[in-house]
Amino acid sequence: MSQQTATAKPTSIVELEAELVAKRTKTRLGGGPKRIEAHKKKGKLTARERITQLIDPASPFMELGLFTGEGMYEEEGGCPSGGTVYGIGYVCGRMCVIVANDATVKAGAWFPITAKKNLRAQEVAMENRLPIIYLVDSAGIYLPLQADVFADKEHFGRVFRNNSIMSAMGIVQIAAIMGSCVAGGAYLPIMSDEAMIVDGTGSVFLAGSYLVKSAIGEDVDNETLGGATTHCEISGVTDYKHPNDEACLQSIRNIVDKMGARPTAGFSRVAAVAPKESWETLPDVFPFDRAKPYDMGEILKRLCDNSEWEEYKALYGKTILCAYARIDGWAVGIVANQRKMVKSKKGEMQMGGVIYSDSADKAARFIMNCNQKRIPLLFIQDVSGFMVGSRSEHGGIIKDGAKLVNVMANSIVPKITLYVGNSFGAGNYAMCGKAYDPRFLFAWPSAQVAVMSGAAAANTLLQIEKATLQSKGEVITPENEKALFEKIKDRYDMQTSPYFAAARLWIDELVLPSETRTHISMGLEAANHAPVTREFSAGVLQT
């Protein structure tokens, strides 16, 4: 049984936050204290220690993908953080993507999810035109799962393809070989712009000494085969030789310090003003029960500078809130699901968290305006889906929903998405889910991501299960039906968990509400490094 289902379920937003903090602490131990101790006895820093020494003192590091692989490889002993630590930090004042293999987890070997995480790190660097630094310490592909990591388009080899593409794009890549670097993995640092190696612990070769002996009968040790002396003095494969991790990391800083400036997108930023409302009072206005209504404006009061925003079409399409605002000084266009019951233009009450035709139409127009004004977009999701029924169908809900999806998908300004509650069905798509290329996708621990809620799915699947059992002549008692419902609901609820989504990289990171402004601000700063190079066009829209 996974940790997610074995522990008591939180019953408040405060308990959800405490659970997240506890899970972070455990996950950041990687392979555990014993393996950390063995790693350090080799004279090596851990992956997170390396990152801490690399970035500027007291500067933030926005870790991404912390819960990658959570609960996915229990038969293999687990793969905390996918065996890789990555995120965005500041090196000599310059924002960089940093990727570090965690050799305390299966010697840094690549599981299938490890490849996906490394590809996501490269994608972040490419989309935002950020330099990327690789701190390499990996045994290569995890052979028992090689069939799921080796040969497909989004597998291991894609990393080296991306090395080549980024080099052509002018994105700086610096690699430090700080441990093993074996077989195909040897290409990653050597396809970077500059590569350095730590003497005594770093090694890089296409085949280790055992394989060389087996293949060609040569007796040679790994140090002679591919150590620092070999590659800095004989082969010329690596560019710098360093006595220890600390010197190697300082060398990276020296290189980054000399890099020139690049053009930016020029998004508007002014001096930041703190919100008037505190996150500490969030439990008073944000219900734990995901079915209960609340005012999305209360979230914005704690997110926007000075708790202010300029609402667009406030009296129309009220189940989506659209507004111009600033977050940590950055100008943003906010598209958020309004979760309170509202009155339509015809005087009818509309359910919060549901997208109606008028709200889809309003959001589409707002997104087009933000593209014209070069204002980045922030989508805040707590959505159950689109309104259904004959009245909505006759009113053209599919047409209006398609228009919203179209302009959102074709947006040329960067998009950041935040899940605070439900992210169900087509609402996930329309509000810029993972499939629609948000630059960053964050989620609160209160988020749920699925086709529908656990209860709704369980009711649907229960009917199928009952029909199957009855076709076999089995009698379903009310007690059995209830037990079957709970079994299905528990299984489905586990899959709606934000940890389930984070494990599979459907979201970039789980954040505490109090961290939201910082993460969005750093996401916007990263996006500002990539100039907007084309004009907005949505193609054909049925109006």
Side-chain angles (χ1 to χ4, degrees), residues 208-214 216-222 224-225:
S209 57
Y210 293 125
L211 183 54
V212 168
K213 175 66 174 177
S214 173
I216 65 173
E218 180 184 1
D219 286 307
V220 61
D221 62 86
N222 283 341
T224 303
L225 191 63

Side-chain angles (χ1 to χ4, degrees), residues 315 317-318 342-350 356 358:
L315 303 179
K318 296 179 184 179
V342 297
K343 186 176 292 188
S344 74
K345 58 187 176 183
K346 297 180 180 179
E348 301 166 335
M349 295 305 296
Q350 295 180 333
Y356 290 77
D358 53 357

Side-chain angles (χ1 to χ4, degrees), residues 249-524:
L249 296 166
Q250 183 57 51
S251 180
I252 296 173
R253 289 182 56 81
N254 294 341
I255 293 170
V256 175
D257 180 57
K258 310 301 186 298
M259 289 166 52
R262 294 290 182 92
T264 66
F267 300 130
S268 174
R269 191 183 195 186
V270 300
V273 180
K276 295 178 181 178
E277 298 288 342
S278 169
W279 290 111
E280 293 181 0
T281 58
L282 181 67
D284 297 333
V285 296
F286 183 70
F288 176 78
D289 185 345
R290 298 276 27 92
K292 288 186 176 180
Y294 65 91
D295 184 358
M296 179 58 74
E298 293 295 339
I299 304 295
L300 300 193
K301 286 180 183 179
R302 290 153 178 81
L303 186 61
C304 299
D305 285 16
N306 206 36
S307 300
E308 294 177 343
W309 61 91
E310 185 73 20
E311 188 167 357
Y312 173 79
K313 288 184 179 291
L315 303 179
Y316 176 75
K318 296 179 184 179
T319 63
I320 289 184
L321 190 161
C322 298
Y324 299 109
R326 290 191 181 273
I327 295 177
D328 198 32
W330 291 101
V332 293
I334 297 173
V335 182
N337 301 114
Q338 177 55 276
R339 278 300 310 276
K340 66 181 181 181
M341 296 287 288
V342 297
K343 186 176 292 188
S344 74
K345 58 187 176 183
K346 297 180 180 179
E348 301 166 335
M349 295 305 296
Q350 295 180 333
M351 293 185 291
V354 176
I355 302 175
Y356 290 77
S357 286
D358 53 357
S359 51
D361 172 66
K362 177 177 77 171
R365 294 189 191 192
F366 180 72
I367 291 168
M368 288 189 282
N369 284 343
C370 287
N371 275 273
Q372 185 181 51
K373 297 178 176 70
R374 295 296 192 267
I375 300 174
L377 288 159
L378 170 64
F379 292 84
I380 304 178
Q381 287 202 21
D382 194 345
V383 58
S384 301
F386 285 85
M387 190 59 191
V388 296
S390 60
R391 180 178 296 183
S392 293
E393 297 293 356
H394 296 172
I397 185 68
I398 296 176
K399 175 188 65 179
D400 291 317
K403 181 165 60 176
L404 171 56
V405 172
N406 189 317
V407 299
M408 180 274 300
N410 283 294
S411 178
I412 60 172
V413 295
K415 301 167 291 194
I416 294 177
T417 301
L418 172 68
Y419 297 160
V420 300
N422 301 333
S423 180
F424 293 156
N428 170 281
Y429 300 158
M431 294 293 292
C432 196
K434 181 69 172 178
Y436 291 85
D437 298 322
R439 291 291 178 89
F440 300 96
L441 201 162
F442 305 117
W444 288 359
S446 50
Q448 299 181 97
V449 186
V451 175
M452 61 185 74
S453 70
N459 275 317
T460 301
L461 294 172
L462 177 63
Q463 304 309 312
I464 298 173
E465 291 273 4
K466 284 173 61 179
T468 301
L469 293 173
Q470 288 170 348
S471 69
K472 297 177 180 179
E474 297 186 28
V475 177
I476 309 298
T477 67
E479 293 77 14
N480 290 341
E481 182 174 331
K482 181 180 179 181
L484 186 58
F485 172 84
E486 292 299 332
K487 180 181 177 180
I488 297 172
K489 183 177 180 298
D490 286 346
R491 183 174 71 240
Y492 201 85
D493 281 344
M494 184 190 72
Q495 295 182 1
T496 68
S497 161
Y499 295 97
F500 188 91
R504 289 152 182 79
L505 290 168
W506 300 347
I507 62 176
D508 286 309
E509 191 60 25
L510 281 172
V511 301
L512 297 170
S514 59
E515 299 168 335
T516 308
R517 270 174 58 88
T518 300
H519 278 67
I520 290 174
S521 177
M522 288 188 70
L524 292 169

